[in-house]
Amino acid sequence: MSNIHIRRSFTMPRAELRKQLEDLTASLQEKWPLECQWQTDDCLSFKHSAVKGEIEIGKDDFELKAELGMLFGAFKGAIENEIARFINEHIY
């Protein structure tokens, strides 16, 4: 099993960060049928038969953790790059 772990700081308003994180999961849903749901105001979970994870928002940073099954493990680099690209372009 492969893991992705990304932690980034943010300075944008919290409501805008939540919107951007929803947009991030929506962009991933275009390629893979992920189920996404806010568990709390600060925790967005996502799952698929071959991946599960969550994004937790802290005071001034957020953390994305994902466990990739065998199917998605082969695409770890591409998935991680797509997530990092989105974060770099949309979250400040």
Side-chain angles (χ1 to χ4, degrees):
M1 188 174 299
S2 296
N3 294 311
I4 294 175
H5 183 232
I6 298 172
R7 177 179 232 130
R8 297 282 176 92
S9 60
F10 68 92
T11 58
M12 64 191 343
R14 199 172 194 80
E16 179 63 18
L17 174 65
R18 284 177 50 96
K19 164 117 178 42
Q20 292 300 332
L21 294 174
E22 289 172 354
D23 289 349
L24 169 61
T25 56
S27 73
L28 295 173
Q29 284 176 315
E30 291 175 9
K31 295 182 178 169
W32 305 287
L34 296 173
E35 294 178 32
C36 303
Q37 181 177 356
W38 285 100
Q39 300 299 317
T40 68
D41 286 345
D42 298 328
C43 183
L44 176 61
S45 68
F46 53 91
K47 67 179 177 177
H48 175 274
S49 61
V51 63
K52 68 178 179 176
E54 62 186 23
I55 304 170
E56 291 189 59
I57 303 171
K59 181 180 175 186
D60 55 7
D61 67 359
F62 67 93
E63 184 173 27
L64 180 146
K65 295 179 188 174
E67 294 179 15
L68 308 176
M70 292 187 79
L71 175 64
F72 279 16
F75 302 102
K76 177 186 177 191
I79 294 168
E80 197 164 20
N81 287 339
E82 182 172 343
I83 292 168
R85 181 194 54 77
F86 186 96
I87 290 170
N88 291 337
E89 291 177 5
H90 299 280
I91 297 176
Y92 56 91

